[in-house]
Amino acid sequence: MTVLPDPGASRAVLIGSSRFDHLEQLPAVANNLTALADALCLPASWGLPSQNCVVVSNPASNDEVMAELRSAAKQARDTLLVYYAGHGLIDLQNALQLALPKSHQQRVESGLPYDYLRQAVLDGPAERQVIVLDCCFGGLALGAMAGPPELVDQASVDGSYLLAAASETSYALAPPGETYTAFTGELLEVLRTGIPGGPELLELDAVYRHLRLALGAKQRPMPQARNRNTSARLALGRNRAFLPGPPVGTSAGLDLISRTWPAPEGIRTVQGFIARLQNVRQTSGLTQKAVSQRSGGRISEGSVSNLLTRETLPRTWTAVPTFLSACGVPDEQVEQWHAAWTRLRAEQSSLSGAVQPPEGQIPKPAVGTGGAWRRLTSRIGRPKAR
């Protein structure tokens, strides 16, 4: 089954070196980092909270990189993504070194050993790891970055998905005058616009196959991938080329039931719950106003907006099933959502040590205040669902 990461339980570390004291400059790498961070934080992609996506640009030392890697690896429970862009160097032991700004071609030990990055990833509790390498491996000529055929096998991580910009026999390019490197530019295009005719979710293997076709059509180097276990079924987001457009009307006959709906399985955090609700609305193709209309007014447009932008778990269940049903989610899946909400609610209650009253519900009165309580509640109507 394809997996969408829970953004609240996932982390991304994007590392890039664009300025060098002794190597060719790679200005496109700086653009890579900014654009990729933005793409991963989009609701249609992973929807990562900004604090869960760390950018390490032109790090001064290995220590700076490793501190961020270890912190993210420790916090990630669902998925950890690590990306590096810059020069790659191969040392005398034929091991990969990731170049930092002060790295030197003749002193490759000045780079970050790939094994350090690999071990930090493995030491964390994340169920899935993704490593993306967009780097040079042997020098730069006319904006080209070269790498030996053994690189990808060196970089393999059990239980992970490795996506490398260079194939065994070709070059990974940083074309002069282009905003991004060739590989990352194509990856960004997939995240931003999707894969026409592709699956609903951007599974890593589907992304890899599309990158090979797209880059090959431009006569550019084709990437290489290595998969361990089931990481190939991990999705980088929803396929924007697959998402339905806004419906012409809001009639009950709108074909929503047959769509493949985002499921609540794998949700670990409140952020993941809200992000998956956002995915449901995107899949429906309905505007917030149309969702309200399809609910027969049981949930207002403003309440739909509040539900999809809130940072806390809804403390009553009322609005969620109304929203899901209005979008077209089948009843049996609504029950799955209820189970996920109930579990998260119980976890919150155990952490706080006490169950909080549902939203809009007035706490029970203290002993001896019954008369005043009855007079108060007689003047208050039934609270609206939120």
Side-chain angles (χ1 to χ4, degrees), residues 43-45 238 243-244 275 277-286:
S45 181
R238 302 196 69 80
L243 293 177
L277 287 177
Q278 294 170 349
N279 292 154
V280 167
R281 191 203 62 77
Q282 292 161 356
T283 300
S284 75
L286 296 166

Side-chain angles (χ1 to χ4, degrees), residues 88-364:
L89 306 172
I90 301 297
D91 65 19
L92 295 177
Q93 285 71 45
N94 209 35
L96 174 64
Q97 301 276 336
L98 307 177
L100 302 183
K102 295 185 180 299
S103 293
H104 199 292
Q105 184 72 41
Q106 279 69 49
R107 294 192 291 273
V108 293
E109 71 277 3
S110 57
L112 171 68
Y114 174 78
D115 281 345
Y116 287 13
L117 181 151
R118 178 181 181 274
Q119 193 58 52
V121 169
L122 289 176
D123 285 346
E127 290 187 14
R128 292 167 289 271
Q129 303 94 9
V130 180
I131 298 177
V132 182
L133 299 175
D134 187 357
C135 54
C136 55
F137 310 114
L140 185 70
L142 300 175
M145 301 183 291
E150 64 272 17
L151 168 74
V152 177
D153 287 330
Q154 290 178 3
S156 296
V157 177
D158 288 341
S160 299
Y161 197 96
L162 171 72
L163 187 57
S167 69
E168 296 183 357
T169 58
S170 63
Y171 296 87
L173 300 175
E178 294 196 11
T179 304
Y180 309 112
T181 59
F183 169 81
T184 298
E186 210 62 53
L187 176 61
L188 287 168
E189 184 68 15
V190 170
L191 294 175
R192 289 168 173 170
T193 65
I195 302 174
E200 287 191 57
L201 300 178
L202 294 174
E203 299 175 1
L204 282 169
D205 262 357
V207 171
Y208 165 61
R209 291 192 298 268
H210 179 78
L211 290 176
R212 286 182 63 87
L213 290 172
L215 289 166
K218 296 178 180 179
Q219 297 185 334
R220 291 185 168 183
M222 292 184 290
Q224 188 166 346
R226 288 291 186 272
N227 171 43
R228 295 295 184 268
N229 298 330
T230 59
S231 294
R233 302 305 302 273
L234 178 70
L236 289 178
R238 302 196 69 80
N239 184 2
R240 290 197 168 199
F242 188 95
L243 293 177
V248 176
T250 57
S251 66
L254 187 64
D255 181 19
L256 297 173
I257 301 299
S258 61
R259 295 178 183 173
T260 303
W261 296 99
E265 291 128 347
I267 291 176
R268 293 174 171 82
T269 66
V270 173
Q271 290 167 321
F273 189 88
I274 301 303
R276 204 64 57 84
L277 287 177
Q278 294 170 349
N279 292 154
V280 167
R281 191 203 62 77
Q282 292 161 356
T283 300
S284 75
L286 296 166
T287 64
Q288 294 178 4
K289 182 178 180 180
V291 171
S292 176
Q293 291 174 340
R294 282 180 56 82
S295 77
R298 288 179 297 148
I299 183 170
S300 68
E301 182 179 351
S303 294
V304 174
S305 177
N306 290 337
L307 180 63
L308 299 181
T309 58
R310 62 185 300 135
E311 297 180 355
T312 59
L313 187 71
R315 285 164 60 184
T316 59
W317 174 241
T318 310
V320 180
T322 302
F323 166 80
L324 293 170
S325 296
C327 285
V329 176
D331 290 344
E332 58 270 21
Q333 285 198 25
V334 174
E335 288 302 315
Q336 296 172 12
W337 280 92
H338 190 203
W341 176 86
T342 301
R343 174 175 50 78
L344 290 173
R345 186 96 170 100
E347 290 173 359
Q348 287 189 337
S349 297
S350 69
L351 289 174
S352 65
V355 177
Q356 299 297 318
E359 291 175 316
Q361 179 173 310
I362 303 172
K364 292 183 179 180

